[in-house]
Amino acid sequence: QVQLVESGGGLAQAGGSLRLSCTASGRAFITTAWFRQAPGKEREFVAAISWAGGNTYYADSMKGRFTISRENTNSPVYLQMNSLKPEDTAVYYCAAQVARGWRPSSSADDYAYWGRGTQVTVSS
């Protein structure tokens, strides 16, 4: 089992920044990803990072403003969000899959473990 806990959400103004954190416990060799879901919309892939942090994968629409990172295998996974827009308003979820190789997926169905989410609201 993998337990995931997100933090760092909140209210930001357009053009501002937020940093989300995802703390994982329970198993090793996990690929960690961020997804988001806005009201009335499907869950959307944001970015993924490998177990040691050396590989990252982004949705094309997220490149440039969002950065996923981790310092080492014991550190949280971060999502740095810059130049925020009102359309970034969503619940942001941390997700994980156990994978010894780097095979990132943008499909929510490929992630077995999920956090409860953290709300991000961007005001105009």
Side-chain angles (χ1 to χ4, degrees), residues 7-9 17-21 67 69 71 78-81 84:
S7 62
S17 299
L18 282 174
R19 188 177 79 161
L20 307 182
S21 298
T67 303
S69 66
E71 296 176 2
Y78 300 105
L79 183 68
Q80 178 69 41
M81 304 185 295
L84 285 165

Side-chain angles (χ1 to χ4, degrees), residues 46-65:
V46 176
I49 192 166
S50 59
W51 171 236
N55 296 292
T56 58
Y57 173 57
Y58 292 89
D60 287 343
S61 60
M62 308 297 173
K63 291 178 181 178
R65 295 191 300 122

Side-chain angles (χ1 to χ4, degrees), residues 34-113:
W34 286 97
F35 286 78
R36 69 183 187 183
Q37 188 166 20
K41 295 188 176 181
E42 293 186 354
R43 196 163 293 191
E44 178 182 29
F45 172 74
V46 176
I49 192 166
S50 59
W51 171 236
N55 296 292
T56 58
Y57 173 57
Y58 292 89
D60 287 343
S61 60
M62 308 297 173
K63 291 178 181 178
R65 295 191 300 122
F66 292 5
T67 303
I68 191 170
S69 66
R70 71 183 313 169
E71 296 176 2
N72 54 59
T73 58
N74 294 317
S75 72
V77 172
Y78 300 105
L79 183 68
Q80 178 69 41
M81 304 185 295
N82 298 326
S83 302
L84 285 165
K85 305 175 181 179
E87 50 264 44
D88 294 320
T89 295
V91 177
Y92 284 72
Y93 295 92
C94 181
Q97 58 174 195
V98 178
R100 286 187 174 269
W102 175 238
R103 294 184 294 274
S105 172
S106 60
S107 172
D109 291 340
D110 290 332
Y111 293 85
Y113 305 101

